Structures are given as C-alpha cells and as structure tokens.
C-alpha cells in the first residue's frame, strides 16, 4: 500500500481514539464486509482457511501453546458476520508484557500476509485486523522509550507525528511477519489445507504442525506459564 494512502487509513482508524477510549475488540478473525450469499463459496472457504492459517501459525511462538486454543471455520456467518477465528489468548497476568503485546500485533497482521503469500488476490477480511492492530500499536508506542507518541495530540503537527510512527511500525511489522511466513511457507500451506478440509483444529492438532516451525531471531516468544 502506498505510504500516503497508508497514512490516511491510519488517520481514519485513529480518529476519536483518545477522546473516548473503547475496550479492545473481539478475537482475531476473518470478517466479511458484505454478505452476498447465505453460505460461503468455495473461493470464500479457501480464503478464510488461508487467512486463519496465517493467524494460527504465529501461535507457534507462544510458550507454551494453551490447550484451549482452536481454529474454526463456519459454514454460515456467525456473530458479527464472523466466518472464521482463532481463539483469543487469555493472558495469565494482570499486566501484559511488551513481548506479548508485540506478538499480538504481529499475529493480527499475519492473516493478510498469508493471503498475499498463498493467494492470487486479497479479500476485505483484514480490515478488522488492522483496526485492532491500530489500537494495540498506540498502546505499544506510548510505552516505548525511543520516540514520543502523543496520547492526546494537541494539534495537527502532533497528530501527523503519531501517524508517521504508526506507519513506520506497520511497515516494519509487516516485513517481520512476511519473513516469518516465508521461512515457514510449507507449514503455512499444509495448515491452510488442513483448516479448509476439517473446519476445526484443536491445540493438539495445531501443535503437530508447529513442530516444523522455525522462529526467526528477535521474534517475540511470549511466556504464558
């Protein structure tokens, strides 16, 4: 996505964020913007499976993988037009570690990155993921020490600086996610096929795929024990 349009998109997503903070959104999932038919088509099912495989593959970095985690695809839209989802992680402590926050941000970007890696076209599903990423990214940037992120921008200049930091963080994290999926492409492909075929995978079934996953140096591996 061109830098200008990416900045505009992030600006729209952050509009009103600081005047009325909202609770974090539901679990990472594939959302259809428009329902054109009662049941997903064959093409829809493949796209959903690939998208959710991207999210799920990053769960291989968790230490350990919780046994309650599942991946689900639905024959009909569920709540909020939901067509597929990976279980949201219940963090075991009241205060989230920054490593876990970074992992969540990367995981949210992995659905779109998987579509880019395995499909010839992208869907509208990642829009909800990017909205969730933006909320987490603002929390993360306010906690980082390198540069100032204005919690309540007082003018257009401060708002512009915020957008620049968000744009840079998004660009860097997308590169990190693409590198992760690239070195694990065969696992991603197998996982997408398995999700498409069975529609539901348990933590144990996911773990069997994760045995072959390579974790790049510097990639966040949150401790959940």
């Amino acid at each position: 996505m061109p830098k200008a349009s990416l900045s505009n998109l992030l600006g729209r997503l952050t509009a009103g964020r600081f005047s009325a903070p909202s609770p974090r959104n539901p679990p990472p999932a594939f959302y259809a913007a428009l329902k054109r038919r009662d049941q997903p088509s064959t093409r829809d099912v493949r796209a959903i499976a690939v998208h959710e495989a991207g999210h799920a593959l990053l769960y291989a970095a968790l230490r350990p993988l919780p046994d309650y985690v599942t991946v689900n695809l639905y024959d009909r839209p569920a709540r909020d037009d939901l067509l597929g989802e990976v279980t949201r992680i219940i963090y075991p402590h009241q205060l989230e570690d920054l490593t876990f926050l970074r992992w969540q941000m990367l995981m949210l970007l992995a659905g779109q990155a998987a579509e880019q890696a395995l499909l010839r076209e992208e869907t509208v599903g990642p829009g909800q993921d990017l909205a969730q990423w933006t909320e987490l990214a603002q929390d993360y940037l306010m906690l980082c020490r390198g540069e100032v992120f204005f919690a309540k921008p007082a003018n257009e200049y401060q708002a512009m600086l915020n957008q620049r930091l968000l744009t840079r963080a998004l660009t860097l994290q997308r590169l990190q996610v693409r590198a992760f999926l690239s070195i694990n492409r065969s696992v991603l492909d197998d996982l997408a096929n398995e999700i498409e075929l069975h529609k539901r995978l348990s933590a144990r079934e996911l773990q069997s795929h994760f045995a072959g996953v390579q974790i790049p140096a510097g990639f966040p591996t949150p401790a959940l024990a």
Side-chain angles (χ1 to χ4, degrees):
M1 182 181 295
K3 186 173 182 179
S5 61
L6 180 57
S7 296
N8 291 337
L9 175 59
L10 289 172
R12 292 197 300 273
L13 289 171
T14 57
R17 151 76 170 168
F18 300 108
S19 59
S22 59
R24 288 180 182 171
N25 288 318
F30 180 102
Y31 284 82
L34 295 174
K35 291 188 293 182
R36 299 185 182 276
R37 50 190 292 160
D38 292 334
Q39 288 184 307
S41 66
T42 301
R43 174 262 197 187
D44 292 334
V45 171
R46 178 59 183 171
I48 298 165
V50 168
H51 187 100
E52 297 307 329
H55 287 313
L57 191 59
L58 267 71
Y59 280 56
L62 298 176
R63 299 289 184 267
L65 176 69
D67 58 10
Y68 57 77
V69 170
T70 63
V71 183
N72 294 281
L73 266 61
Y74 302 111
D75 293 331
R76 294 178 181 274
R79 65 184 188 281
D80 300 322
D81 297 343
L82 186 63
L83 295 173
E85 63 181 336
V86 185
T87 305
R88 181 178 180 177
I89 295 299
I90 302 171
Y91 194 65
H93 310 290
Q94 291 294 327
L95 297 175
E96 290 185 1
D97 188 277
L98 283 179
T99 300
F100 181 67
L101 188 54
R102 285 178 54 221
W103 173 85
Q104 285 184 291
M105 293 164 64
L106 293 167
M107 179 272 299
L108 286 167
L109 299 178
Q112 183 181 36
E115 291 185 39
Q116 293 169 341
L118 299 185
L119 303 177
R120 293 183 179 180
E121 57 185 3
E122 295 177 59
T123 68
V124 297
Q128 179 71 13
D129 295 334
L130 184 56
Q132 293 183 54
W133 180 92
T134 303
E135 287 194 10
L136 295 181
Q138 290 175 93
D139 291 342
Y140 180 77
L141 290 171
M142 282 188 288
L143 293 169
C144 290
R145 304 174 185 174
E147 298 180 75
V148 175
F149 186 89
F150 297 94
K152 295 181 179 179
N155 50 53
E156 291 186 6
Y157 176 71
Q158 291 182 358
M160 179 190 68
L161 292 178
N162 280 2
Q163 285 192 31
R164 285 182 179 177
L165 288 176
L166 282 168
T167 300
R168 185 168 66 184
L170 181 57
T171 299
L172 292 174
Q173 286 209 333
R174 277 178 166 164
L175 290 173
Q176 194 173 8
V177 169
R178 288 170 187 165
F180 181 93
L181 297 184
S182 178
I183 64 173
N184 294 293
R185 184 186 174 95
S186 62
V187 181
L188 175 65
D189 197 21
D190 290 343
L191 185 56
N193 292 339
E194 193 83 0
I195 294 171
E196 183 178 7
L197 177 63
H198 296 291
K199 303 298 189 293
R200 185 182 190 279
L201 296 183
S202 66
R204 177 177 293 183
E205 291 166 325
L206 286 173
Q207 199 70 264
S208 67
H209 288 276
F210 293 168
V213 170
Q214 300 179 53
I215 307 295
F219 200 87
T221 55
L224 300 181

